[in-house]
């Protein structure tokens, strides 16, 4: 079963103006089973085990068509982006996809947003791997 989890430092980074959900550049990178997710990880420098393989570029793919909106009654904020597809990918032991803010220049300053756990290690050979967000988007905040 696949799950999406938010890093706990996300809201702190948002409150400290380290993240601008409307204008920053965000990426999603694939990491292997050697990475042990910890919700307290705050910056990209804490993430290890990025995969390598045919059809994959270091750092991952840029998220596109990002939107950050509030619903009509002001009770729910939603951050969405288009689904991401790694086309014709060949790689082993893919376990997680990590969403992060790619705007700062160094990994020690790139805030982590969330990680997607595929629920098992994926070994793919020349296949498309798609990460599709649910209708609530990547992040939903209810106030």
């Amino acid at each position: 079963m696949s799950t999406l989890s938010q890093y706990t430092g996300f809201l702190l980074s948002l409150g400290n103006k380290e993240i601008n959900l409307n204008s920053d550049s965000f990426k999603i990178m694939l990491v292997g089973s050697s990475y042990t997710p910890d919700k307290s990880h705050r910056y990209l420098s804490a993430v290890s085990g990025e995969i390598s393989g045919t059809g994959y570029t270091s750092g991952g793919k840029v998220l596109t068509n990002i939107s950050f909106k509030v619903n009509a009654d002001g009770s729910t904020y939603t951050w969405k982006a288009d689904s991401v597809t790694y086309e014709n990918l060949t790689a082993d032991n893919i376990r997680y996809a990590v969403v992060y803010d790619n705007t700062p220049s160094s990994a020690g300053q790139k805030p982590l947003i969330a990680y997607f756990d595929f629920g098992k290690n994926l070994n793919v050979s020349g296949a498309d791997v798609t990460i599709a967000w649910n209708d609530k988007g990547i992040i939903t905040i209810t106030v």
Side-chain angles (χ1 to χ4, degrees), residues 51-121:
I51 67 137
S52 62
T54 303
Y56 184 80
T57 301
S58 178
K61 285 197 158 205
V62 174
L63 295 180
T64 58
N65 290 321
I66 292 173
S67 68
F68 182 58
K69 296 182 179 180
V70 62
N71 69 346
D73 71 4
S75 65
T76 305
Y77 294 81
T78 307
W79 188 60
K80 295 182 175 186
D82 284 350
S83 297
V84 175
T85 299
Y86 288 92
E87 298 165 345
N88 199 28
L89 181 64
T90 298
D92 292 330
N93 295 318
I94 305 165
R95 180 61 190 257
Y96 307 100
V98 175
V99 179
Y100 66 97
D101 186 337
N102 191 48
T103 303
S105 59
S106 74
Q109 296 174 321
K110 295 176 187 272
L112 297 173
I113 311 295
Y115 64 91
F116 190 83
D117 183 347
F118 293 108
K120 63 180 181 178
N121 293 342

Side-chain angles (χ1 to χ4, degrees), residues 25-43:
S25 173
F26 297 91
K27 283 189 160 186
I28 184 165
M29 73 179 209
L30 301 177
V31 296
S33 57
S34 65
Y35 173 60
T36 302
D38 183 334
K39 287 186 176 188
S40 69
H41 287 163
R42 182 95 186 270
Y43 299 101

Side-chain angles (χ1 to χ4, degrees), residues 78-80 132-138 140:
T78 307
W79 188 60
K80 295 182 175 186
W133 314 111
N134 68 33
D135 291 340
K136 293 182 180 180
I138 302 169
T140 301

